[in-house]
Amino acid sequence: MNGRDLVRSIKAVGSAGAGQRLLTVRAAWRRRRIDAVGLPVRGAERARVPGPLLSAEPSPGGGVVRFTRSELRITVTAGGAVFWGWDGAGPEPSYALAGGAPEPDLRAVLEPDKDGAWRVVAERMTVVVSRLGAVEVRTPGGVILRRELPPRWWESAGGGGARWMQRSEVAADARFFGLGGRASGPRLRDGTYRLWNTGPGHAFGPGDDPLYLTMPVQMVVADAATHLVFHDSSWDGSVTLREGEEGAGSGHDRAGASDLRMDGGPLRCWVMVGTPARVLQNWASLTGAAALPPSWALGHHHVRRRSGSEQEVRRIVSGYHEHGLPLDAVHLGADHFEAHRTFTADQDRFPKLPVLAEELRRDRIRLVSVVEPAVRAEPGIPVYDVGAAEDVFVRDSAGEVVRGVVRSGEAVYPDFTRARTRRWWGGLYEERLSQGFAGFWHDLDEPVSLAAFGEATLPRSARHDLEGRGGDHREAHNVYALAMARAAYEGLGELAPEERPFLVSRAGWAGTQRYGGVWLGEAAPGWPGLRASLSLVLGLGLCGVPYSGPDTGGVDEDPSPELYLRWVQLGAYLPFFRTHAGPRPGHGEPWEFGAEVLAHARVALVGRRRLLPYFMTLAHLARRTGAPYVRPLWWGVPEDRALRDCEDAFLLGDCLLVAPVLDSGTERRAVRLPRGRWYDMTTERVYEGPAQVLVDAPLSRIPVLVRAGAVLPVRGDDGSLELEVWAPAHGRTGGGLVVTDSGEGREEPEIERYVTRRQGARVVVEREGEDGPVEPSLPVRVRGLGPRP
């Protein structure tokens, strides 16, 4: 137990009831005692650096560079990524990689460079290793994108693993993005960012760090090129960033800097260089394709802080129907379980769950159940009894099962880093499926003991299997939620092989997109929480997690009508769209905020349903290319510095630019446009970029602009698929991609490509066929041909 955990425990004591306070204090001191015995005593430490270069051994795809105190293994993969590992570390074992390490590019080879250095030339970069162990990543033209100085290790005199630091320099004009979900992002300013998944202990806002999903993934955007760097260690650590500064006149540039400090694990690194799209495509090929959500998961979800009962669920659904509001899923929280933290529904409040689920399904509404990793430690609870018999729970260094604290008492935690535990846990979802649930959301999977307090639950010395390697919680903590999501995803794949699993997790790590999406946890209900939610979605997308979204409306307090509406209007354009109602019945549904808010919210929800075919297309593109649904404005032009600094608007795919209202009282707002012609989706007014323009943002809507020439697949008034084409400028062409998908099974349909061009006063739309352009098979509606307002 470290100081941070102790502070959280003290805060919890001051907030909980008497019984909960006692359990919390006992658990905190128990963790401290366990760690005092189970963690190695570091004692005196000695520092180590690689030392001078001694020799190099080339091999197909790279080679090994030997120094007096370490060696560096470097490999270029067939996909264009470059790996290097110090102290002989290889790319495996790794929780981030999908299907093992990729094959090396046999054309690349380690060769001598000037001044006694060595280099490896890849297709999109050259990596140079200096005589003292600095590693430079250069463009093919020789521009330095990143310079990693010789690393430093601190080794305990008593033995055990070493902690280490890697200091890096980037271009003076570079900007940092990524590191998982960061409320202060998406652009990461100067500061220190911790790499440790945790709950903040309260609803989060821009000042809270770390949050539920961290990962050592940086996307660095500079004039010369964009690069992504991933240091593959799941141990606790921190990254200190400092943006560079370009010299004025004859002044010298000051390089940007990144200092990475890790408490353990191998020092190994992956680097990808290119455009943002190319970089994320390489990243997806390395860490795995994003899971494809079912079509209903791209619609509107609703959750109440406390589920109440079957009658409460029916009341909510009836309210949506009566007010003409689209609804695709209802989520039930932990209070629908019997005695909490089990897979058994509360029969008193939910006596006929299968009947309720079937009734909702007939209305095309799915039920989604929360699942938490904690298993209440009470004999007689089937999950606990079977789990204890199967020996699947985490134990301490003395061999005793570790107990944490949940709302209803003490609990134990499965070790998801063991394959047989994942198989056992995955089979438990059969009970949920039999009750009619169609999807699942994982909560408290960082893991933490108490949702309200963010209390750490497992001692750092707790033992984990780690796929047979063995280790402790210091290494397993950040990948715990990832392994839990894998257990659920693989279990659902066996239990319902014909259906796409729906799974969103609060925590995760690099590669979590393979198993589902991410819900952003408990955002603060104020305007800062709204802004932080957008930051997290953008940041996660740049780390390879394309499907994510907040609890729209925030938690803990009732938002103002204006804030609630602005949050709904933003959420309608985010991948995972879930409105959140507070714990009191009759508070938090759209009709509770007045007739004006209800009318405008209806427009946003109907607009989301209309765009479902476009969201499905984006889902398929994310799976095949790694491109996120939500993209920063600089996505296609990272060299545009003005766009690089814009954080209050985003691109939804290639076609839409969304400019949400993030401040109270706003009725007009400035929007910075990328190059090209853009249409206001509502008024069809034309804007020309690049420019900063003022656009109307009345309470009824937020500004949404469409790129000229875009082909948008949308739902028509009768529910059928049609193409909405926006006229290209004279002398220009346009186009778009469309995936026609029923959205339920595991099939992956073909992507249709459309091209648009201006022919006099007409717009011609053609689909690319095998033998040339053909007429579209879908109805086409052209917009943007009318006179400019």
Short mmCIF file of all heavy atoms in Angstrom, two decimals, residues 175 177 185-187 189 531 534-535 538 542 631-635 640-651 657-660 662 669-674 691-692:
data_model
loop_
_atom_site.label_atom_id
_atom_site.label_comp_id
_atom_site.label_asym_id
_atom_site.label_seq_id
_atom_site.Cartn_x
_atom_site.Cartn_y
_atom_site.Cartn_z
N ARG A 175 3.28 18.48 -31.02
CA ARG A 175 2.23 18.48 -30.01
C ARG A 175 1.94 17.05 -29.60
O ARG A 175 1.96 16.13 -30.42
CB ARG A 175 0.95 19.14 -30.55
CG ARG A 175 1.12 20.62 -30.89
CD ARG A 175 1.32 21.46 -29.63
NE ARG A 175 1.46 22.87 -29.90
CZ ARG A 175 2.63 23.51 -29.97
NH1 ARG A 175 3.77 22.83 -29.77
NH2 ARG A 175 2.68 24.80 -30.21
N PHE A 177 -0.38 13.98 -27.93
CA PHE A 177 -1.74 13.48 -27.76
C PHE A 177 -1.65 12.04 -27.25
O PHE A 177 -0.62 11.39 -27.37
CB PHE A 177 -2.51 13.51 -29.09
CG PHE A 177 -2.62 14.88 -29.71
CD1 PHE A 177 -1.62 15.38 -30.53
CD2 PHE A 177 -3.73 15.67 -29.46
CE1 PHE A 177 -1.71 16.64 -31.10
CE2 PHE A 177 -3.84 16.93 -30.02
CZ PHE A 177 -2.82 17.42 -30.84
N GLY A 185 -7.12 16.66 -21.96
CA GLY A 185 -6.72 16.63 -23.36
C GLY A 185 -7.71 17.34 -24.25
O GLY A 185 -8.50 18.15 -23.77
N PRO A 186 -7.72 16.97 -25.56
CA PRO A 186 -6.90 15.91 -26.16
C PRO A 186 -5.43 16.28 -26.33
O PRO A 186 -4.56 15.43 -26.27
CB PRO A 186 -7.56 15.68 -27.51
CG PRO A 186 -8.21 16.98 -27.84
CD PRO A 186 -8.68 17.54 -26.54
N ARG A 187 -5.14 17.57 -26.59
CA ARG A 187 -3.74 17.97 -26.62
C ARG A 187 -3.21 18.01 -25.19
O ARG A 187 -3.82 18.62 -24.31
CB ARG A 187 -3.61 19.34 -27.28
CG ARG A 187 -2.22 19.93 -27.23
CD ARG A 187 -2.20 21.30 -27.86
NE ARG A 187 -1.04 22.07 -27.43
CZ ARG A 187 -0.90 23.38 -27.62
NH1 ARG A 187 -1.88 24.05 -28.22
NH2 ARG A 187 0.17 24.01 -27.20
N ARG A 189 -0.84 19.23 -22.51
CA ARG A 189 0.08 20.33 -22.20
C ARG A 189 1.18 19.86 -21.26
O ARG A 189 1.24 18.71 -20.85
CB ARG A 189 -0.70 21.47 -21.55
CG ARG A 189 -1.15 22.57 -22.50
CD ARG A 189 -2.22 22.15 -23.44
NE ARG A 189 -2.74 23.30 -24.20
CZ ARG A 189 -3.76 23.24 -25.01
NH1 ARG A 189 -4.41 22.08 -25.16
NH2 ARG A 189 -4.17 24.30 -25.68
N ARG A 531 -16.90 19.18 -21.28
CA ARG A 531 -15.67 19.40 -22.06
C ARG A 531 -14.70 18.23 -21.88
O ARG A 531 -14.06 17.78 -22.84
CB ARG A 531 -15.02 20.72 -21.63
CG ARG A 531 -13.82 21.13 -22.47
CD ARG A 531 -13.31 22.50 -21.99
NE ARG A 531 -14.24 23.57 -22.27
CZ ARG A 531 -14.24 24.26 -23.41
NH1 ARG A 531 -13.37 23.97 -24.37
NH2 ARG A 531 -15.09 25.24 -23.58
N LEU A 534 -15.51 15.12 -24.08
CA LEU A 534 -15.05 15.21 -25.45
C LEU A 534 -13.56 14.94 -25.54
O LEU A 534 -13.08 14.25 -26.46
CB LEU A 534 -15.38 16.58 -26.03
CG LEU A 534 -14.87 16.87 -27.44
CD1 LEU A 534 -15.40 15.85 -28.44
CD2 LEU A 534 -15.24 18.29 -27.87
N SER A 535 -12.79 15.45 -24.58
CA SER A 535 -11.35 15.22 -24.57
C SER A 535 -11.02 13.74 -24.50
O SER A 535 -10.13 13.24 -25.20
CB SER A 535 -10.70 15.95 -23.38
OG SER A 535 -10.85 17.34 -23.49
N LEU A 538 -11.78 11.89 -27.89
CA LEU A 538 -10.75 12.19 -28.88
C LEU A 538 -9.44 11.50 -28.54
O LEU A 538 -8.79 10.91 -29.41
CB LEU A 538 -10.55 13.69 -28.97
CG LEU A 538 -11.58 14.47 -29.80
CD1 LEU A 538 -11.52 15.95 -29.49
CD2 LEU A 538 -11.36 14.23 -31.29
N LEU A 542 -7.32 8.35 -30.63
CA LEU A 542 -5.94 8.45 -31.11
C LEU A 542 -5.04 7.39 -30.50
O LEU A 542 -3.89 7.25 -30.90
CB LEU A 542 -5.38 9.84 -30.81
CG LEU A 542 -6.08 10.98 -31.57
CD1 LEU A 542 -5.52 12.33 -31.14
CD2 LEU A 542 -5.94 10.80 -33.07
N ARG A 631 -12.56 12.26 -34.84
CA ARG A 631 -11.19 12.60 -35.21
C ARG A 631 -10.93 14.08 -34.96
O ARG A 631 -11.84 14.90 -35.14
CB ARG A 631 -10.95 12.28 -36.70
CG ARG A 631 -11.35 10.86 -37.08
CD ARG A 631 -11.46 10.68 -38.58
NE ARG A 631 -12.01 9.36 -38.90
CZ ARG A 631 -12.26 8.93 -40.13
NH1 ARG A 631 -12.02 9.75 -41.16
NH2 ARG A 631 -12.75 7.73 -40.33
N PRO A 632 -9.73 14.44 -34.59
CA PRO A 632 -9.43 15.87 -34.44
C PRO A 632 -9.48 16.56 -35.80
O PRO A 632 -9.34 15.93 -36.86
CB PRO A 632 -8.01 15.87 -33.86
CG PRO A 632 -7.44 14.54 -34.23
CD PRO A 632 -8.57 13.57 -34.27
N LEU A 633 -9.63 17.87 -35.79
CA LEU A 633 -9.74 18.61 -37.04
C LEU A 633 -8.49 18.49 -37.89
O LEU A 633 -8.55 18.63 -39.12
CB LEU A 633 -10.05 20.09 -36.75
CG LEU A 633 -11.41 20.41 -36.12
CD1 LEU A 633 -11.60 21.92 -36.05
CD2 LEU A 633 -12.56 19.77 -36.88
N TRP A 634 -7.34 18.24 -37.27
CA TRP A 634 -6.09 18.14 -38.04
C TRP A 634 -5.87 16.76 -38.65
O TRP A 634 -4.82 16.51 -39.26
CB TRP A 634 -4.89 18.50 -37.16
CG TRP A 634 -4.84 17.81 -35.82
CD1 TRP A 634 -5.22 18.35 -34.62
CD2 TRP A 634 -4.42 16.47 -35.53
NE1 TRP A 634 -5.04 17.42 -33.60
CE2 TRP A 634 -4.55 16.26 -34.14
CE3 TRP A 634 -3.93 15.42 -36.31
CZ2 TRP A 634 -4.21 15.06 -33.52
CZ3 TRP A 634 -3.59 14.22 -35.69
CH2 TRP A 634 -3.73 14.05 -34.32
N TRP A 635 -6.85 15.86 -38.54
CA TRP A 635 -6.68 14.48 -38.98
C TRP A 635 -6.10 14.38 -40.39
O TRP A 635 -5.15 13.63 -40.63
CB TRP A 635 -8.02 13.76 -38.88
CG TRP A 635 -8.01 12.36 -39.39
CD1 TRP A 635 -8.48 11.91 -40.60
CD2 TRP A 635 -7.53 11.19 -38.71
NE1 TRP A 635 -8.32 10.55 -40.71
CE2 TRP A 635 -7.74 10.09 -39.56
CE3 TRP A 635 -6.95 10.98 -37.46
CZ2 TRP A 635 -7.39 8.79 -39.21
CZ3 TRP A 635 -6.60 9.69 -37.11
CH2 TRP A 635 -6.81 8.61 -37.97
N ASP A 640 -1.21 21.57 -40.43
CA ASP A 640 -1.93 22.83 -40.18
C ASP A 640 -1.91 23.12 -38.68
O ASP A 640 -2.65 22.52 -37.90
CB ASP A 640 -3.38 22.71 -40.68
CG ASP A 640 -4.12 24.05 -40.65
OD1 ASP A 640 -3.85 24.85 -39.73
OD2 ASP A 640 -4.98 24.26 -41.51
N ARG A 641 -1.08 24.04 -38.29
CA ARG A 641 -0.87 24.29 -36.86
C ARG A 641 -2.10 24.88 -36.19
O ARG A 641 -2.35 24.63 -35.01
CB ARG A 641 0.34 25.21 -36.66
CG ARG A 641 1.64 24.59 -37.14
CD ARG A 641 2.81 25.43 -36.70
NE ARG A 641 4.07 24.88 -37.18
CZ ARG A 641 5.26 25.37 -36.83
NH1 ARG A 641 5.33 26.41 -36.02
NH2 ARG A 641 6.36 24.82 -37.31
N ALA A 642 -2.86 25.67 -36.92
CA ALA A 642 -4.07 26.25 -36.33
C ALA A 642 -5.06 25.16 -35.97
O ALA A 642 -5.68 25.19 -34.90
CB ALA A 642 -4.70 27.25 -37.29
N LEU A 643 -5.21 24.15 -36.83
CA LEU A 643 -6.10 23.03 -36.53
C LEU A 643 -5.54 22.17 -35.42
O LEU A 643 -6.28 21.59 -34.62
CB LEU A 643 -6.33 22.19 -37.79
CG LEU A 643 -7.08 22.86 -38.94
CD1 LEU A 643 -7.19 21.90 -40.11
CD2 LEU A 643 -8.46 23.32 -38.49
N ARG A 644 -4.22 22.07 -35.36
CA ARG A 644 -3.57 21.23 -34.35
C ARG A 644 -3.90 21.70 -32.94
O ARG A 644 -3.93 20.90 -32.00
CB ARG A 644 -2.07 21.27 -34.58
CG ARG A 644 -1.30 20.04 -34.11
CD ARG A 644 0.18 20.26 -34.28
NE ARG A 644 0.57 20.32 -35.68
CZ ARG A 644 1.77 20.72 -36.10
NH1 ARG A 644 2.68 21.12 -35.22
NH2 ARG A 644 2.06 20.73 -37.37
N ASP A 645 -4.16 22.98 -32.79
CA ASP A 645 -4.44 23.53 -31.47
C ASP A 645 -5.94 23.64 -31.17
O ASP A 645 -6.32 24.16 -30.12
CB ASP A 645 -3.80 24.91 -31.33
CG ASP A 645 -2.28 24.85 -31.36
OD1 ASP A 645 -1.73 23.76 -31.07
OD2 ASP A 645 -1.65 25.86 -31.69
N CYS A 646 -6.79 23.19 -32.10
CA CYS A 646 -8.24 23.30 -31.91
C CYS A 646 -8.76 22.08 -31.17
O CYS A 646 -8.57 20.94 -31.61
CB CYS A 646 -8.92 23.43 -33.27
SG CYS A 646 -10.70 23.63 -33.15
N GLU A 647 -9.45 22.32 -30.03
CA GLU A 647 -9.89 21.21 -29.19
C GLU A 647 -11.39 21.24 -28.91
O GLU A 647 -11.88 20.40 -28.15
CB GLU A 647 -9.15 21.27 -27.84
CG GLU A 647 -7.64 21.14 -27.97
CD GLU A 647 -6.94 21.26 -26.63
OE1 GLU A 647 -6.85 22.39 -26.11
OE2 GLU A 647 -6.49 20.23 -26.11
N ASP A 648 -12.12 22.17 -29.51
CA ASP A 648 -13.54 22.31 -29.18
C ASP A 648 -14.44 21.92 -30.34
O ASP A 648 -15.63 22.27 -30.37
CB ASP A 648 -13.85 23.73 -28.73
CG ASP A 648 -13.56 24.77 -29.79
OD1 ASP A 648 -13.02 24.41 -30.86
OD2 ASP A 648 -13.88 25.96 -29.57
N ALA A 649 -13.90 21.21 -31.34
CA ALA A 649 -14.68 20.71 -32.46
C ALA A 649 -13.99 19.45 -32.95
O ALA A 649 -12.84 19.17 -32.61
CB ALA A 649 -14.80 21.75 -33.57
N PHE A 650 -14.69 18.68 -33.78
CA PHE A 650 -14.11 17.41 -34.24
C PHE A 650 -14.75 16.99 -35.55
O PHE A 650 -15.82 17.49 -35.95
CB PHE A 650 -14.29 16.31 -33.19
CG PHE A 650 -15.72 15.99 -32.84
CD1 PHE A 650 -16.44 15.01 -33.53
CD2 PHE A 650 -16.37 16.66 -31.81
CE1 PHE A 650 -17.75 14.71 -33.20
CE2 PHE A 650 -17.68 16.37 -31.47
CZ PHE A 650 -18.38 15.39 -32.18
N LEU A 651 -14.09 16.09 -36.23
CA LEU A 651 -14.62 15.46 -37.42
C LEU A 651 -15.27 14.15 -37.03
O LEU A 651 -14.72 13.38 -36.24
CB LEU A 651 -13.51 15.19 -38.44
CG LEU A 651 -12.75 16.40 -38.98
CD1 LEU A 651 -11.60 15.93 -39.87
CD2 LEU A 651 -13.67 17.33 -39.74
N LEU A 657 -18.31 17.78 -39.74
CA LEU A 657 -17.57 18.56 -38.75
C LEU A 657 -18.57 19.00 -37.69
O LEU A 657 -19.55 19.69 -38.00
CB LEU A 657 -16.89 19.77 -39.39
CG LEU A 657 -15.91 20.57 -38.54
CD1 LEU A 657 -14.95 21.36 -39.44
CD2 LEU A 657 -16.60 21.53 -37.57
N VAL A 658 -18.34 18.61 -36.45
CA VAL A 658 -19.27 18.87 -35.35
C VAL A 658 -18.62 19.90 -34.42
O VAL A 658 -17.48 19.70 -33.97
CB VAL A 658 -19.62 17.58 -34.58
CG1 VAL A 658 -20.63 17.88 -33.47
CG2 VAL A 658 -20.17 16.53 -35.54
N ALA A 659 -19.35 20.96 -34.12
CA ALA A 659 -18.85 22.03 -33.26
C ALA A 659 -19.78 22.15 -32.05
O ALA A 659 -20.71 22.97 -32.05
CB ALA A 659 -18.76 23.34 -34.01
N PRO A 660 -19.59 21.35 -31.01
CA PRO A 660 -20.50 21.38 -29.87
C PRO A 660 -20.41 22.68 -29.10
O PRO A 660 -19.41 23.40 -29.16
CB PRO A 660 -20.03 20.20 -29.03
CG PRO A 660 -18.58 20.04 -29.37
CD PRO A 660 -18.48 20.41 -30.83
N LEU A 662 -19.90 24.21 -25.63
CA LEU A 662 -19.26 23.74 -24.40
C LEU A 662 -19.31 24.78 -23.28
O LEU A 662 -18.75 24.54 -22.21
CB LEU A 662 -17.80 23.36 -24.69
CG LEU A 662 -17.60 22.30 -25.79
CD1 LEU A 662 -16.11 22.09 -26.05
CD2 LEU A 662 -18.26 20.99 -25.40
N ARG A 669 -20.88 30.69 -32.15
CA ARG A 669 -19.54 30.27 -31.76
C ARG A 669 -18.62 30.27 -32.99
O ARG A 669 -19.06 30.11 -34.14
CB ARG A 669 -19.54 28.90 -31.11
CG ARG A 669 -20.08 27.75 -31.91
CD ARG A 669 -19.42 26.44 -31.48
NE ARG A 669 -18.00 26.44 -31.79
CZ ARG A 669 -17.16 25.49 -31.45
NH1 ARG A 669 -17.58 24.46 -30.75
NH2 ARG A 669 -15.88 25.54 -31.79
N ALA A 670 -17.33 30.42 -32.71
CA ALA A 670 -16.32 30.37 -33.77
C ALA A 670 -15.98 28.92 -34.08
O ALA A 670 -15.87 28.09 -33.18
CB ALA A 670 -15.07 31.13 -33.33
N VAL A 671 -15.82 28.64 -35.35
CA VAL A 671 -15.44 27.31 -35.81
C VAL A 671 -14.31 27.45 -36.80
O VAL A 671 -14.40 28.22 -37.76
CB VAL A 671 -16.63 26.58 -36.49
CG1 VAL A 671 -16.20 25.20 -36.98
CG2 VAL A 671 -17.81 26.48 -35.55
N ARG A 672 -13.23 26.72 -36.55
CA ARG A 672 -12.11 26.73 -37.49
C ARG A 672 -12.31 25.61 -38.50
O ARG A 672 -12.48 24.44 -38.12
CB ARG A 672 -10.78 26.56 -36.75
CG ARG A 672 -9.58 26.74 -37.67
CD ARG A 672 -8.30 26.92 -36.88
NE ARG A 672 -8.27 28.19 -36.18
CZ ARG A 672 -7.95 29.35 -36.73
NH1 ARG A 672 -7.67 29.42 -38.03
NH2 ARG A 672 -7.92 30.46 -36.02
N LEU A 673 -12.27 25.95 -39.78
CA LEU A 673 -12.56 25.01 -40.85
C LEU A 673 -11.29 24.53 -41.53
O LEU A 673 -10.40 25.35 -41.83
CB LEU A 673 -13.46 25.65 -41.91
CG LEU A 673 -14.83 26.16 -41.46
CD1 LEU A 673 -15.55 26.79 -42.64
CD2 LEU A 673 -15.65 25.04 -40.87
N PRO A 674 -11.17 23.24 -41.82
CA PRO A 674 -10.11 22.77 -42.72
C PRO A 674 -10.38 23.25 -44.14
O PRO A 674 -11.45 23.80 -44.45
CB PRO A 674 -10.22 21.25 -42.62
CG PRO A 674 -11.02 20.98 -41.37
CD PRO A 674 -11.94 22.15 -41.22
N ALA A 691 -10.43 28.63 -42.79
CA ALA A 691 -10.83 29.91 -42.22
C ALA A 691 -11.43 29.66 -40.85
O ALA A 691 -11.76 28.53 -40.49
CB ALA A 691 -11.86 30.60 -43.11
N GLN A 692 -11.53 30.73 -40.08
CA GLN A 692 -12.31 30.69 -38.85
C GLN A 692 -13.58 31.49 -39.10
O GLN A 692 -13.51 32.65 -39.50
CB GLN A 692 -11.53 31.25 -37.67
CG GLN A 692 -12.34 31.24 -36.37
CD GLN A 692 -11.49 31.48 -35.15
OE1 GLN A 692 -10.68 30.64 -34.77
NE2 GLN A 692 -11.66 32.64 -34.53
#
